[in-house]
Amino acid sequence: MRVSIITTIAAAVSATALGAAEIAPTAVSFEDGTVSQSLSGVAGDPASGSEIVGSKKLGNCIACHQVSDLADVPFQGEIGPSLDGAGERWTEAELRGIVANAKIMFEDTMMPSFYKTEGFIRPGNAYTGEAADDTFGPLLTAQQIEDVVAYLSTLKE
Amino acid sequence: GSMASGAMADPVDDTLIINEELTIVTRTAAPAHVADVLDEVMSGWLFRGTETRAMQADDFDNPGMIFVEQAEDVWNTADGSEGKSCADCHGASSDMSDVRPTFPKWNDAAEKVFTLEMQINDCRENRMGAEKWKYTGGDIVNMTALLASVSRGKPVNVAIDGPAQSTWEDGKELYYTRTGQLELSCANCHEDSYGKMIRADHLSQGQINGFPTYRLKNTKLNSAHARFKGCVRDTRAETYSPGSPEFVALELYVASRGNGLSVEGPSVRN
């Protein structure tokens, strides 16, 4: 009993212990689809963000969006709008809201929610086709979201 | 919809004529029950590249036809405790040309909707005294390829009313359900976005008039349920199993969206 209480407390404060408060996927506060507070408390790294946007294994944003800045990444999809100029069209808080959970800004959008852990129908264990197990987490971590937002903010036309 | 998008990857304007004699209907007016969401229904053939399309236009170039020949041998070979072949009861495989277009369909004795695979296994178990084939295994997929090949050019015409109606409705529900961590439904990709590229893939309407499909990617014939499984898996979901009631219902519904397109299996896809 005592052990489990200590573990719970330890888990809750572990992000703080690193120096910054990480906001859990279930605790993000949206205002009109935007999120003003950093999810990780650590400034985003645009270089890492560009990697996440282009990588099939990470954000795979390129599956649906074109980004001229990533012209070296082949096979850019056309489901969503081009992200060129996204940093001009949207504020940082708007971009954070869109990447964390686009369905709040754009009702019923096809864009997946990258920082969400609940409310799925038949969630799976990545691309195995098997049911999700206890390793299930959001598509991107808090810091990865911040990195993507930092990268998108650099996209000016 | 993508029809108005003018995207660079719209379906081609081309006609499929097999062996220079059999014209395949690859686009036609949408059947009434999908007319609220689609004007036209289109075969996946229209969304494939020039070489892949050409392979399907000639039986000598269509790798799926080798499996049709293998199934023709099996059709004529006795199996099971009754010592009977398919041909003993059904005659020539070419006499079965009206069958594929109507499956999945209601089976009175079993009181449920049967896919072609279920019907074949029912004959094997209950009429031949032979063992069931694995639902997506080579034997059964080859046999469905034979039964499709003899129906090529005939319009898909599955019944969605009568006793099949509730199964059809279950399938429709599944078609529009956004599954998995990516929360995508069949409709998101194949109704809202066909004609567009999703990464390297050119999205079709996800019709099944061409099944089984010979895929250049895995160099074998693939059944509709195997394809459904792959698509559901790609939504980061826990999939249903091939042959499950869910996929049977989904197959009936998806087949019905293609009513009016010609049967064209075994087709060639990438």
Side-chain angles (χ1 to χ4, degrees), chain A residues 56-81:
Chain A
K56 199 169 182 172
K57 294 210 172 93
L58 297 169
N60 200 18
C61 316
I62 290 293
C64 294
H65 295 283
Q66 290 166 328
V67 186
S68 306
D69 183 55
L70 297 177
D72 55 325
V73 181
F75 305 123
Q76 305 197 353
E78 46 189 26
I79 307 282

Short mmCIF file of all heavy atoms in Angstrom, two decimals, chain A residues 56-81:
data_model
loop_
_atom_site.label_atom_id
_atom_site.label_comp_id
_atom_site.label_asym_id
_atom_site.label_seq_id
_atom_site.Cartn_x
_atom_site.Cartn_y
_atom_site.Cartn_z
N LYS A 56 8.59 9.18 -41.33
CA LYS A 56 7.48 8.23 -41.34
C LYS A 56 7.27 7.61 -39.96
O LYS A 56 6.16 7.31 -39.55
CB LYS A 56 7.82 7.14 -42.36
CG LYS A 56 6.64 6.35 -42.83
CD LYS A 56 7.01 5.48 -44.02
CE LYS A 56 5.77 4.76 -44.51
NZ LYS A 56 6.00 4.05 -45.76
N LYS A 57 8.37 7.42 -39.23
CA LYS A 57 8.30 6.76 -37.92
C LYS A 57 7.87 7.70 -36.80
O LYS A 57 7.52 7.27 -35.73
CB LYS A 57 9.66 6.16 -37.57
CG LYS A 57 10.07 5.03 -38.49
CD LYS A 57 10.96 4.03 -37.73
CE LYS A 57 11.24 2.79 -38.56
NZ LYS A 57 12.48 2.89 -39.33
N LEU A 58 7.94 9.02 -37.05
CA LEU A 58 7.59 9.96 -35.98
C LEU A 58 6.25 10.63 -36.30
O LEU A 58 5.23 9.99 -36.25
CB LEU A 58 8.73 10.96 -35.79
CG LEU A 58 10.06 10.29 -35.33
CD1 LEU A 58 11.22 11.25 -35.41
CD2 LEU A 58 9.92 9.75 -33.90
N GLY A 59 6.24 11.90 -36.66
CA GLY A 59 4.96 12.57 -36.91
C GLY A 59 4.29 12.12 -38.19
O GLY A 59 3.08 12.09 -38.30
N ASN A 60 5.14 11.82 -39.21
CA ASN A 60 4.60 11.44 -40.52
C ASN A 60 3.58 12.45 -41.04
O ASN A 60 2.63 12.10 -41.72
CB ASN A 60 3.98 10.03 -40.47
CG ASN A 60 3.88 9.40 -41.86
OD1 ASN A 60 4.54 9.84 -42.80
ND2 ASN A 60 3.03 8.40 -42.00
N CYS A 61 3.81 13.71 -40.74
CA CYS A 61 2.90 14.76 -41.19
C CYS A 61 2.89 14.83 -42.71
O CYS A 61 1.88 15.16 -43.32
CB CYS A 61 3.33 16.11 -40.61
SG CYS A 61 3.78 16.04 -38.86
N ILE A 62 4.05 14.51 -43.28
CA ILE A 62 4.24 14.53 -44.73
C ILE A 62 3.29 13.55 -45.44
O ILE A 62 3.04 13.67 -46.63
CB ILE A 62 5.73 14.18 -45.01
CG1 ILE A 62 6.63 15.33 -44.55
CG2 ILE A 62 5.99 13.84 -46.44
CD1 ILE A 62 6.45 16.58 -45.35
N ALA A 63 2.78 12.56 -44.72
CA ALA A 63 1.81 11.65 -45.34
C ALA A 63 0.63 12.43 -45.88
O ALA A 63 0.03 12.06 -46.89
CB ALA A 63 1.34 10.61 -44.32
N CYS A 64 0.27 13.51 -45.20
CA CYS A 64 -0.91 14.28 -45.59
C CYS A 64 -0.61 15.70 -46.05
O CYS A 64 -1.45 16.32 -46.68
CB CYS A 64 -1.89 14.35 -44.42
SG CYS A 64 -2.59 12.76 -43.98
N HIS A 65 0.56 16.24 -45.69
CA HIS A 65 0.87 17.65 -45.99
C HIS A 65 2.12 17.79 -46.84
O HIS A 65 3.07 17.03 -46.68
CB HIS A 65 1.15 18.41 -44.69
CG HIS A 65 -0.02 18.54 -43.78
ND1 HIS A 65 -1.05 19.44 -43.99
CD2 HIS A 65 -0.32 17.89 -42.61
CE1 HIS A 65 -1.92 19.35 -42.99
NE2 HIS A 65 -1.52 18.40 -42.15
N GLN A 66 2.12 18.82 -47.69
CA GLN A 66 3.34 19.17 -48.40
C GLN A 66 4.05 20.28 -47.64
O GLN A 66 3.43 21.15 -47.05
CB GLN A 66 3.00 19.64 -49.82
CG GLN A 66 2.51 18.46 -50.64
CD GLN A 66 1.84 18.86 -51.93
OE1 GLN A 66 1.21 19.91 -52.01
NE2 GLN A 66 1.97 18.02 -52.93
N VAL A 67 5.39 20.22 -47.64
CA VAL A 67 6.21 21.25 -47.01
C VAL A 67 7.39 21.53 -47.95
O VAL A 67 8.27 20.67 -48.11
CB VAL A 67 6.76 20.79 -45.63
CG1 VAL A 67 7.49 21.93 -44.94
CG2 VAL A 67 5.65 20.26 -44.73
N SER A 68 7.41 22.68 -48.59
CA SER A 68 8.49 22.98 -49.55
C SER A 68 9.86 22.95 -48.88
O SER A 68 10.85 22.54 -49.48
CB SER A 68 8.29 24.36 -50.18
OG SER A 68 7.01 24.44 -50.74
N ASP A 69 9.90 23.37 -47.62
CA ASP A 69 11.16 23.38 -46.88
C ASP A 69 11.74 21.97 -46.75
O ASP A 69 12.94 21.80 -46.53
CB ASP A 69 10.90 23.99 -45.49
CG ASP A 69 12.16 24.11 -44.66
OD1 ASP A 69 13.11 24.76 -45.16
OD2 ASP A 69 12.21 23.57 -43.54
N LEU A 70 10.92 20.95 -46.87
CA LEU A 70 11.39 19.56 -46.75
C LEU A 70 11.42 18.89 -48.13
O LEU A 70 11.11 17.70 -48.27
CB LEU A 70 10.48 18.76 -45.80
CG LEU A 70 10.42 19.24 -44.36
CD1 LEU A 70 9.43 18.41 -43.55
CD2 LEU A 70 11.81 19.18 -43.71
N ALA A 71 11.79 19.66 -49.16
CA ALA A 71 11.74 19.16 -50.53
C ALA A 71 12.53 17.87 -50.72
O ALA A 71 12.25 17.09 -51.63
CB ALA A 71 12.23 20.24 -51.49
N ASP A 72 13.51 17.63 -49.87
CA ASP A 72 14.31 16.40 -50.00
C ASP A 72 13.58 15.17 -49.48
O ASP A 72 14.03 14.04 -49.68
CB ASP A 72 15.66 16.57 -49.28
CG ASP A 72 15.48 16.98 -47.82
OD1 ASP A 72 14.52 17.74 -47.54
OD2 ASP A 72 16.26 16.52 -46.97
N VAL A 73 12.47 15.36 -48.79
CA VAL A 73 11.68 14.20 -48.32
C VAL A 73 10.69 13.82 -49.44
O VAL A 73 9.83 14.61 -49.79
CB VAL A 73 10.90 14.52 -47.03
CG1 VAL A 73 10.12 13.31 -46.55
CG2 VAL A 73 11.84 15.02 -45.94
N PRO A 74 10.84 12.60 -50.00
CA PRO A 74 9.98 12.24 -51.13
C PRO A 74 8.56 11.89 -50.70
O PRO A 74 8.31 11.63 -49.52
CB PRO A 74 10.67 10.99 -51.71
CG PRO A 74 11.43 10.40 -50.57
CD PRO A 74 11.79 11.53 -49.64
N PHE A 75 7.66 11.86 -51.66
CA PHE A 75 6.27 11.43 -51.46
C PHE A 75 5.53 12.24 -50.40
O PHE A 75 5.23 11.76 -49.32
CB PHE A 75 6.22 9.93 -51.09
CG PHE A 75 6.91 9.06 -52.09
CD1 PHE A 75 7.94 8.22 -51.69
CD2 PHE A 75 6.55 9.09 -53.43
CE1 PHE A 75 8.58 7.41 -52.61
CE2 PHE A 75 7.19 8.29 -54.35
CZ PHE A 75 8.21 7.44 -53.94
N GLN A 76 5.26 13.49 -50.72
CA GLN A 76 4.49 14.32 -49.81
C GLN A 76 3.02 14.22 -50.20
O GLN A 76 2.66 14.36 -51.36
CB GLN A 76 5.00 15.76 -49.88
CG GLN A 76 6.52 15.83 -49.62
CD GLN A 76 7.01 17.23 -49.27
OE1 GLN A 76 6.27 18.20 -49.34
NE2 GLN A 76 8.27 17.31 -48.88
N GLY A 77 2.19 13.96 -49.20
CA GLY A 77 0.77 13.73 -49.46
C GLY A 77 0.00 15.01 -49.73
O GLY A 77 0.55 16.11 -49.65
N GLU A 78 -1.28 14.85 -50.04
CA GLU A 78 -2.09 16.02 -50.37
C GLU A 78 -3.48 15.97 -49.73
O GLU A 78 -4.43 16.51 -50.25
CB GLU A 78 -2.20 16.19 -51.88
CG GLU A 78 -2.51 14.89 -52.62
CD GLU A 78 -2.40 15.01 -54.14
OE1 GLU A 78 -1.65 15.87 -54.63
OE2 GLU A 78 -3.08 14.22 -54.82
N ILE A 79 -3.56 15.31 -48.58
CA ILE A 79 -4.84 15.24 -47.86
C ILE A 79 -5.16 16.57 -47.18
O ILE A 79 -6.28 17.05 -47.24
CB ILE A 79 -4.80 14.12 -46.78
CG1 ILE A 79 -4.36 12.78 -47.36
CG2 ILE A 79 -6.13 14.03 -46.03
CD1 ILE A 79 -5.39 12.03 -48.13
N GLY A 80 -4.17 17.15 -46.54
CA GLY A 80 -4.36 18.44 -45.86
C GLY A 80 -3.70 19.55 -46.65
O GLY A 80 -3.04 19.30 -47.66
N PRO A 81 -3.86 20.81 -46.21
CA PRO A 81 -3.23 21.93 -46.92
C PRO A 81 -1.71 21.91 -46.78
O PRO A 81 -1.18 21.31 -45.85
CB PRO A 81 -3.83 23.16 -46.23
CG PRO A 81 -4.27 22.70 -44.89
CD PRO A 81 -4.62 21.25 -45.04
#
